[in-house]
Amino acid sequence: FTRGVESLEQKLFNLRHSQSQQTIVMPQFKLKAYLLLSFSANQFNLVAASLQLPLNKTIPGSHLGSPPPYTTYTTFLEQEIQSKKHAFLAGNNVYYISEGRWGNPGNPDDETIGLIHPFFNDLRSRGTGIVEHETTGVGNDFWGWDFHKWVEVAKGTVIGGAQTGDPSGSPGSPTPSQITNHDGSLCIAAHPTQDNYGLPVSMEVCNDQDLRQQWEYDASSGLFTNLVKGWCLFAGRPDVVGQELKTWGCDTSNPQMIWDYDSATENGRIKSRLGYNAQYNDGKCIKAGTSAGQVPTMDVCDSSLPVQQFDLPSLFTEVRYENISPDKMYWRPDGMTMEYSIGSANVQVREEKFVSANDVISTIIYSDVPIEIEFTGKSFARTDFRTVSKSATCEFDEVNNAVHVVEGGRVMAKVSETPEVIKEADLMYQGMSSVLSSSKVIESYSQVELEPGECRYTFRIPVDSTGTTLSWTMHDEYPAALNAIKEVLSDHTSYMTAKTDEINHLLNYNLPYFRCEDEDIVKIYYYLWAIYLMLFKYVGKGQEAHHHTQTAVNNFLGLHNWDAVIQILVGSWTTDKPMWAYGNVLLWSELPLSASSSDGMIPDNMGQTWNSGLFGGFHHSAHACGAWQIYQHSGDDSFLMQAYTFFDSLFTAAGGVNGEDFDASICLGKMASALAKPEAEITKWNEHMDRYGGLDWYLSQRWDDSRSCWLDCDENSPNGIHRWGQIGKADQSYFPSDWARAMGETWLAKGNPSGFYADGDIPLVSIAKRDWDKVLCPGTLESMSCGNGYWSEFAVTPDTNYYMLHGMFRHDVTKIAIDATLGHFKLNHMQWGLPVAPESREADFALWGDQYSNFNAGKILILIEGIGGFKLSMSNSTFTHADALPLEWSFMEWRMPVRAADATNTAWVLVQEERFCLDSSTDAWTKQITVESNPLDTLEIKPYTEGGALISYEVFVDDELVNVVAQQAGKDRLSFTFNGNSAKGKIVVSLVLQADAGTDLSSLNCKPPPSTTSTGATSTQPPPTTTTTTTTQPPPTTTTKTTTTTTQPPPTTTTTTTTTQ
């Protein structure tokens, strides 16, 4: 059966690639595949992407061993973010970004009631335009990544009155009115098209629902402001009889638009206050046209004439609360909640926003007293030069109680940057239906054409304590969008609950469980995981044939080549890797060969039918090691075959891997060996290193031993700026560990004023502090004005910290890595007492960019692989734990999911680290490591000795004291190896450690001394939450009791054990 499934997957893979990226749709074959795979839940998601089947986000099978205790992470991660940062929500192709970024209370750009910026992006375009280019395909556009800024779907204004404590008038702003002639039959209206200011106004039959007839008059400034575009009533020469009136951009200093209205003594005369200028200051009065269509003109003032008599009847007697800022705004990964207080009566309004599984975004609005809310929205249109034409239409579908906008237009698109190519293109939303509907009847609907092809709509809905739901989505077909909204409106509670349950399920069972002393660190860990999972998407069209994560919702949607190096590795630690890991690797195999260069470079970014072009370097080669780690964690030969086939075809055609990422070739050689490729194919990957003279020669030519740095870091050298990449080079398997240690001690030590972690800084900076004066403009903390580029905006970045920190952990430079990790997490990832995930920090360490950036995914690896020290090899059936428990923590607990590709269930391995103080000593402590429910044949426990000397140790297997000899595994690290049934039992390793003379114990944190059981085993205190553990493994064999207490350090010689990189 397994061979049959693998054969089926391989056929799908071959069929797709034989058809030049066209998805194969073969109904009979598809049906057979669906039926076959329904018996193989674990492999379903892998093939579902190829078949365009619905994806199942539930982790299949049972959870055995020591599964995590259930936690409601949506509540655990809730943040109150008003006046701090924006919020974002994610569906599959529908997203939401709130207003209010950096903390300006009362800022008109704060989030307000409604659905301001929901948007759709299924990667049919990179920006706002879709047009073909010979190199980048159809849809690449370097302009318009942030097109959500021009989206306005439903912006709410609360309509109150007596119930809000304000019986009449409008607080804080002029009341809109009409400008009616003497008998109220005709009104002054802005031009019907409003293409641009400068078009004439006209007399029209009065209609108080027409925004073109609605003006706000400010007696102080003298401006009449029209509500359609915000332009003002204007006369080119207000001192000249017969001059026609127009609208123009408002300017309180321009006499051509400053008017005095006198209703008390001059019968409603509207007179130019200042005339044309100081010389021609004889301002005339407005004369109404006598029939619809006539343009009002200027005339010699005579208030006895009916044509110069106007009235300004107020259009609204109710209170209008516009641009209301929430008192509080809460973000959670499953939704967001806003709380408002309205009027002097403090009417309490609450709204809850979420994106359902069918890509409908909804807000459920509650009010403790009945109110009306008016919503305005519009078709999509940019306001800059990139808009060529607009062709959207708006209508109200009364039968279905829905506002229906068909989007359309033409824009300019930058389809290539090098060389720059700009072409006219279709709008990315061309022909799509934007649909908005409500659980209550939409009332008072009206619409106006702002410009040809751009429409604005207005409507009202009632709101009370029972709640009103407003929902929106987009689709290529109107019926599909409408039906999706109807489904949610019919039972929004079920959809909202399902969203919460899905997020909690994934955060509980699709990633390693982690707890430690510092709740901030725990929250950051799950916050980063939530972002990684929220940004996953599956399109199922064109090149977008796999599910994958993305980098950021505001400007980096899609998978990016450089970012994916880290994101692929993160995916390897998920439980359901076919769903949450494989696609990060395999998506790139969907690119046509023409998209890659002859030397093996692939584009930075891609979508359904486009790619970004070639730039940035040979980052893609590093994907190979991520693919190898996924294989090590899954044992999935089918996935390995697909990944290797792609890498092999790409790099073999290029004459091998280019660049200096030799680990890529090392990993490709391992992949070839695991797939039993011929010896010549396995060894061909070594040619990469040979081109550089071999690794030994390559390394020796680039290491500066006197300065402990890679390449040139001489401060007196023209090229001597010491950058992060020179430290990050240590994150390679072949880099000498003693060099990494020297590098870390010289440049990364906490408090080094010349290094990457100076006192008062957020570590680790991307250029050594010694060299900041070489890149910053004199006397400033910015680099732009003196021509030194954008560096000051990227002084602390996610990727640079990942590579520097990971390299130190990789080579056991543990203390320095721990210090920098804790500093980075506590200072970079906490702001206002809340977890943040900044795109970067500026040179003054202020936040920069998006605060939900999946560019930070590498910090997940710093905790799992660095602090946790976990490695997993299905091929060698080995589980490794080499901890880096900080002195600041008295404990940490992990529960690691282990799931082979052919497994139907998930085994959870419990790992606990605890430190106990000794009553009799101030400089000695006991460190205890417990590992339980490991399903693999070999278990390696490699404790970090925390800068202390080993006094004694004990090892217990299932409460039996056993004889296991500790081996020295490097500076400050021991190693214990268990095999067979012993590896699958409950292992307790207890070390008594005493501080060395130079050990800083100021941050030492430990628990009180534990009690001792009758067997002599140290009893551990229960974890934060306790759960019953079960296992399907056979019971271990009995082990002979042997006393292993020793006062000697372990031998320095190590036994040969199988390990993986």
Side-chain angles (χ1 to χ4, degrees):
F1 172 75
T2 300
R3 286 196 299 272
V5 172
E6 291 173 350
S7 173
L8 179 63
E9 293 167 349
Q10 191 61 48
K11 286 178 181 177
L12 279 169
F13 181 75
N14 294 338
L15 280 168
R16 183 186 299 115
H17 283 269
S18 68
Q19 296 295 319
S20 301
Q21 317 313 311
Q22 294 298 315
T23 301
I24 304 302
V25 180
M26 303 172 66
Q28 184 179 9
F29 179 58
K30 180 175 182 177
L31 177 62
K32 288 180 178 178
Y34 188 97
L35 293 174
L36 176 61
L37 289 168
S38 67
F39 295 96
S40 177
N42 191 56
Q43 299 210 29
F44 171 79
N45 282 329
L46 172 63
V47 183
S50 299
L51 297 173
Q52 296 188 12
L53 299 178
L55 292 172
N56 178 14
K57 292 187 177 181
T58 302
I59 309 304
S62 301
H63 300 280
L64 308 178
S66 301
Y70 188 87
T71 302
T72 308
Y73 285 108
T74 50
T75 302
F76 179 68
L77 292 174
E78 184 174 84
Q79 304 179 4
E80 204 288 285
I81 62 173
Q82 174 60 14
S83 296
K84 301 179 182 76
K85 61 178 180 176
H86 67 88
F88 104 99
L89 301 175
N92 185 41
N93 292 320
V94 165
Y95 306 88
Y96 189 83
I97 298 181
S98 77
E99 294 279 13
R101 295 185 65 186
W102 300 126
N104 298 312
N107 184 345
D109 290 332
D110 278 359
E111 180 71 354
T112 193
I113 292 176
L115 299 172
I116 317 302
H117 296 307
F119 65 99
F120 178 94
N121 192 333
D122 63 354
L123 298 177
R124 63 184 63 193
S125 171
R126 191 184 195 193
T128 50
I130 300 178
V131 66
E132 185 171 7
H133 179 252
E134 59 184 8
T135 301
T136 59
V138 180
N140 186 52
D141 179 10
F142 286 100
W143 283 339
W145 285 6
D146 55 352
F147 68 81
H148 67 273
K149 295 178 181 178
W150 286 272
V151 174
E152 185 183 324
V153 169
K155 187 174 185 179
T157 295
V158 172
I159 308 300
Q163 70 272 39
T164 61
D166 299 286
S168 64
S170 179
S173 62
T175 301
S177 61
Q178 291 175 296
I179 307 176
T180 66
N181 66 355
H182 70 287
D183 61 5
S185 61
L186 297 176
C187 290
I188 297 178
H191 195 275
T193 65
Q194 285 289 281
D195 258 345
N196 207 334
Y197 55 76
L199 295 179
V201 299
S202 62
M203 306 302 297
E204 293 188 5
V205 176
C206 291
N207 176 5
D208 62 9
Q209 297 299 307
D210 189 344
L211 284 176
R212 297 183 300 108
Q213 295 183 23
Q214 296 179 17
W215 305 81
E216 287 181 349
Y217 176 63
D218 188 323
S220 174
S221 67
L223 299 183
F224 281 95
T225 305
N226 188 261
L227 296 193
V228 174
K229 281 281 191 176
W231 293 327
C232 286
L233 192 64
F234 167 91
R237 288 294 299 267
D239 61 320
V240 174
V241 173
Q243 184 75 188
E244 293 186 342
L245 271 66
K246 305 175 182 180
T247 53
W248 204 265
C250 297
D251 182 353
T252 57
S253 66
N254 186 346
Q256 296 165 286
M257 59 183 71
I258 298 176
W259 310 94
D260 285 325
Y261 173 67
D262 189 342
S263 61
T265 61
E266 297 291 344
N267 296 325
R269 182 189 70 186
I270 301 177
K271 181 181 184 297
S272 170
R273 181 182 298 176
L274 302 172
Y276 179 61
N277 56 26
Q279 181 178 359
Y280 303 101
N281 57 9
D282 182 18
K284 301 299 188 289
C285 290
I286 296 177
K287 173 185 175 183
T290 56
S291 61
Q294 287 188 353
V295 176
T297 58
M298 302 305 299
D299 197 5
V300 175
C301 294
D302 184 350
S303 60
S304 66
L305 297 175
V307 290
Q308 292 188 25
Q309 297 170 5
F310 296 91
D311 191 16
L312 304 182
S314 175
L315 294 175
F316 304 109
T317 58
E318 75 268 323
V319 175
R320 295 177 58 82
Y321 290 93
E322 301 175 348
N323 299 316
I324 311 166
S325 295
D327 300 322
K328 293 184 177 180
M329 179 162 66
Y330 298 91
W331 175 89
R332 304 170 10 149
D334 60 331
M336 51 191 289
T337 301
M338 276 69 64
E339 297 176 356
Y340 306 85
S341 295
I342 310 297
S344 59
N346 288 321
V347 173
Q348 297 300 296
V349 176
R350 186 179 86 255
E351 61 174 334
E352 301 171 356
K353 299 178 184 179
F354 75 102
V355 184
S356 58
N358 62 348
D359 265 347
V360 173
I361 182 164
S362 302
T363 180
I364 304 96
I365 310 172
Y366 304 87
S367 174
D368 62 354
V369 300
I371 58 173
E372 258 193 331
I373 301 181
E374 180 181 280
F375 291 97
T376 62
K378 58 188 286 294
S379 58
F380 180 88
R382 296 181 64 107
T383 57
D384 55 20
F385 70 93
R386 294 168 191 165
T387 296
V388 176
S389 63
K390 307 169 190 178
S391 58
T393 61
C394 299
E395 67 171 353
F396 178 53
D397 181 348
E398 188 171 2
V399 172
N400 290 298
N401 194 43
V403 178
H404 179 204
V405 178
V406 179
E407 301 283 8
R410 301 278 290 172
V411 297
M412 301 305 296
K414 184 191 283 190
V415 296
S416 174
E417 282 195 316
T418 309
E420 183 176 87
V421 178
I422 298 171
K423 300 181 70 173
E424 187 173 317
D426 282 334
L427 184 70
M428 79 292 183
Y429 281 167
Q430 181 66 37
M432 293 190 70
S433 287
S434 169
V435 183
L436 187 65
S437 187
S438 170
S439 60
K440 302 283 179 68
V441 174
I442 290 175
E443 302 171 350
S444 304
Y445 177 86
S446 66
Q447 66 184 58
V448 63
E449 188 176 57
L450 302 178
E451 295 179 3
E454 181 182 1
C455 44
R456 177 180 293 280
Y457 49 83
T458 303
F459 62 88
R460 295 186 178 190
I461 52 176
V463 174
D464 56 28
S465 60
T466 63
T468 299
T469 303
L470 185 66
S471 298
W472 174 89
T473 194
M474 288 191 81
H475 199 278
D476 287 307
E477 304 296 332
Y478 176 53
L482 185 64
N483 290 336
I485 287 179
K486 285 182 175 180
E487 288 177 10
V488 175
L489 291 177
S490 68
D491 189 5
H492 75 261
T493 301
S494 294
Y495 276 91
M496 180 184 286
T497 300
K499 179 75 171 188
T500 300
D501 290 347
E502 173 193 300
I503 296 292
N504 282 320
H505 178 81
L506 293 173
L507 291 173
N508 274 281
Y509 300 121
N510 196 38
L511 49 97
Y513 170 95
F514 169 59
R515 293 291 188 273
C516 74
E517 191 97 358
D518 191 330
E519 188 172 281
D520 286 348
I521 303 291
V522 178
K523 283 188 174 182
I524 293 165
Y525 173 78
Y526 283 98
Y527 180 71
L528 296 179
W529 265 117
I531 293 169
Y532 175 87
L533 298 173
M534 289 173 69
L535 285 170
F536 248 78
K537 80 183 293 101
Y538 172 69
V539 177
K541 297 179 181 178
Q543 297 168 169
E544 284 289 322
H546 302 273
H547 34 290
H548 60 83
T549 194
Q550 304 172 94
T551 293
V553 69
N554 67 327
N555 60 352
F556 284 101
L557 286 172
L559 198 58
H560 290 256
N561 190 350
W562 171 246
D563 308 10
V565 174
I566 297 170
Q567 292 158 353
I568 289 169
L569 291 165
V570 172
S572 74
W573 291 104
T574 59
T575 304
D576 185 6
K577 283 172 273 294
M579 170 79 177
W580 301 97
Y582 291 4
N584 293 336
V585 176
L586 299 179
L587 183 74
W588 305 96
S589 68
E590 302 297 331
L591 286 165
L593 290 176
S594 60
S596 61
S597 66
S598 60
D599 54 2
M601 184 186 295
I602 67 168
D604 170 71
N605 190 207
M606 61 181 291
Q608 288 189 34
T609 54
W610 57 268
N611 67 80
S612 63
L614 300 168
F615 58 88
F618 295 94
H619 311 312
H620 182 66
S621 59
H623 293 195
C625 287
W628 174 249
Q629 182 159 304
I630 291 173
Y631 170 70
Q632 287 290 290
H633 292 188
S634 66
D636 192 333
D637 293 324
S638 177
F639 163 76
L640 188 67
M641 173 64 78
Q642 292 183 64
Y644 179 79
T645 300
F646 168 57
F647 292 128
D648 183 42
S649 62
L650 177 68
F651 295 128
T652 298
V657 177
N658 283 287
E660 298 180 17
D661 185 3
F662 303 121
D663 264 349
S665 292
I666 293 171
C667 290
L668 288 167
K670 292 177 180 179
M671 294 166 77
S673 178
L675 292 169
K677 296 294 184 182
E679 184 65 22
E681 183 167 343
I682 297 171
T683 58
K684 76 177 182 181
W685 299 106
N686 294 332
E687 296 172 3
H688 182 191
M689 288 72 88
D690 294 341
R691 293 200 304 271
Y692 287 81
L695 283 179
D696 290 343
W697 190 89
Y698 167 81
L699 291 167
S700 67
Q701 296 301 303
R702 290 161 176 78
W703 177 248
D704 184 341
D705 194 58
S706 65
R707 297 180 179 85
S708 298
C709 66
W710 183 255
L711 300 176
D712 184 3
C713 68
D714 181 354
E715 62 181 322
N716 297 315
S717 167
N719 301 316
I721 297 177
H722 198 11
R723 302 179 186 273
W724 73 269
Q726 296 163 265
I727 304 291
K729 188 65 180 179
D731 193 27
Q732 296 283 316
S733 64
Y734 54 83
F735 196 85
S737 292
D738 56 337
W739 292 4
R741 180 169 296 280
M743 182 186 288
E745 292 173 348
T746 303
W747 294 101
L748 301 186
K750 183 178 181 180
N752 180 354
S754 297
F756 292 78
Y757 191 0
D759 285 336
D761 288 358
I762 294 178
L764 295 167
V765 294
S766 58
I767 289 179
K769 204 64 181 288
R770 181 199 72 182
D771 298 324
W772 276 32
D773 60 346
K774 298 178 182 178
V775 291
L776 293 175
C777 302
T780 75
L781 286 173
E782 60 87 20
S783 56
M784 282 290 293
S785 63
C786 54
N788 288 338
Y790 294 96
W791 177 81
S792 58
E793 295 179 352
F794 302 98
V796 180
T797 66
D799 54 335
T800 61
N801 269 271
Y802 164 75
Y803 285 108
M804 289 190 281
L805 293 170
H806 200 263
M808 294 298 105
F809 279 118
R810 185 171 201 157
H811 294 286
D812 254 351
V813 191
T814 310
K815 179 63 168 65
I816 285 172
I818 289 173
D819 286 346
T821 295
L822 296 186
H824 182 76
F825 272 73
K826 296 291 284 186
L827 297 173
N828 183 66
H829 285 296
M830 293 298 296
Q831 189 89 9
W832 314 289
L834 304 174
V836 294
E839 188 174 338
S840 73
R841 295 260 184 181
E842 299 187 63
D844 62 357
F845 302 113
L847 294 167
W848 191 91
D850 183 56
Q851 300 311 304
Y852 302 88
S853 175
N854 197 26
F855 205 19
N856 287 281
K859 264 59 83 62
I860 296 171
L861 299 171
I862 296 303
L863 288 176
I864 295 176
E865 299 176 6
I867 298 292
F870 292 105
K871 291 182 181 178
L872 184 63
S873 173
M874 287 293 185
S875 59
N876 293 325
S877 193
T878 301
F879 185 95
T880 302
H881 170 54
D883 80 280
L885 180 67
L887 290 178
E888 291 83 352
W889 303 351
S890 67
F891 79 92
M892 66 178 175
E893 178 180 324
W894 296 85
R895 296 175 189 248
M896 305 298 295
V898 178
R899 186 185 182 99
D902 57 355
T904 55
N905 301 311
T906 303
W908 290 86
V909 182
L910 171 65
V911 179
Q912 289 177 316
E913 294 263 353
E914 298 169 286
R915 186 185 300 111
F916 301 102
C917 294
L918 301 179
D919 285 338
S920 59
S921 175
T922 59
D923 64 349
W925 61 94
T926 297
K927 180 173 185 174
Q928 183 168 288
I929 303 101
T930 303
V931 180
E932 190 172 350
S933 307
N934 166 49
L936 302 183
D937 294 332
T938 299
L939 171 64
E940 296 178 333
I941 299 177
K942 299 181 176 182
Y944 168 51
T945 55
E946 304 177 350
L950 180 66
I951 304 303
S952 62
Y953 67 92
E954 291 180 320
V955 179
F956 295 86
V957 177
D958 293 327
D959 295 330
E960 299 287 336
L961 189 64
V962 298
N963 183 14
V964 178
V965 178
Q967 304 293 324
Q968 194 75 41
K971 181 177 173 59
D972 294 331
R973 192 166 299 282
L974 307 175
S975 179
F976 300 86
T977 301
F978 306 86
N979 293 296
N981 287 332
S982 293
K984 300 174 183 179
K986 178 181 178 181
I987 310 294
V988 179
V989 175
S990 183
L991 313 175
V992 177
L993 302 169
Q994 186 168 31
D996 291 333
T999 304
D1000 180 6
L1001 297 180
S1002 60
S1003 60
L1004 182 67
N1005 190 8
C1006 50
K1007 296 181 175 182
S1011 60
T1012 304
T1013 67
S1014 57
T1015 63
T1018 302
S1019 65
T1020 64
Q1021 296 187 5
T1025 49
T1026 306
T1027 184
T1028 302
T1029 59
T1030 59
T1031 179
T1032 56
Q1033 300 295 339
T1037 57
T1038 303
T1039 306
T1040 304
K1041 296 182 182 179
T1042 308
T1043 300
T1044 61
T1045 302
T1046 178
T1047 58
Q1048 299 297 324
T1052 55
T1053 56
T1054 58
T1055 56
T1056 302
T1057 56
T1058 303
T1059 59
T1060 57
Q1061 197 60 247

